[in-house]
Amino acid sequence: MKYMLLKTYSPAAHCDTPITEWTPEEIQAHIDFQRMLGEELAKSGELVDAQGLAGPDQAQLVSSDGRSAPVITDGPFPETKEFLAGYWIVDVDSPERAVEIAAKASAAPGPGGKPIGEHIEVRAVMGAPAGEQ
């Protein structure tokens, strides 16, 4: 069963200090934790993919009617209070294992090395519906 674990940049359960106010050492510890988690999941054979994403200042919204040139809006988007910062795709034996991994990711270190309680969204990856026979 594949799951996508979505890491959103927003105030966390136990930390509302923006990462821009963390010390370089705290940021490095957070990044090291993310790398360690990825290595652990790769070693167990559960990791399908994991990526960090560029910030909203580098995002674009694209819409199209399929006939004319697409409408492209460059970020950042001032109405956005949180944004997708990264994700893991895992292939695990049960939904409970996906939640276990999300809980570990949630406890990433922040200021002072304390777990920040990031909100990690767990969503099943759905296959395409079967075509009509």
Side-chain angles (χ1 to χ4, degrees):
M1 301 163 69
K2 289 184 183 169
Y3 290 87
M4 181 174 264
L5 312 179
L6 302 165
K7 176 183 174 76
T8 304
Y9 182 80
S10 63
H14 307 295
C15 177
D16 60 1
T17 305
I19 199 167
T20 55
E21 296 177 18
W22 296 10
T23 68
E25 295 79 17
E26 291 166 339
I27 293 170
Q28 189 60 53
H30 188 81
I31 292 169
D32 290 345
F33 176 90
Q34 303 299 334
R35 285 191 181 125
M36 180 191 68
L37 178 59
E39 290 170 7
E40 178 183 310
L41 294 171
K43 186 176 180 180
S44 70
E46 296 171 308
L47 183 66
V48 175
D49 190 27
Q51 300 292 328
L53 301 174
D57 59 321
Q58 297 177 44
Q60 294 180 314
L61 290 178
V62 179
S63 62
S64 174
D65 62 8
R67 294 181 301 276
S68 53
V71 176
I72 302 169
T73 306
D74 292 327
F77 310 105
E79 66 279 3
T80 303
K81 293 181 175 44
E82 59 183 44
F83 62 88
L84 186 60
Y87 66 88
W88 298 265
I89 297 177
V90 295
D91 192 350
V92 294
D93 293 332
S94 69
E96 292 80 13
R97 177 62 180 144
V99 168
E100 182 182 333
I101 295 167
K104 185 167 191 166
S106 174
K114 296 178 184 173
I116 61 175
E118 282 187 280
H119 301 284
I120 306 293
E121 184 176 348
V122 178
R123 297 183 62 182
V125 175
M126 306 294 291
E132 291 195 32
Q133 310 259 346

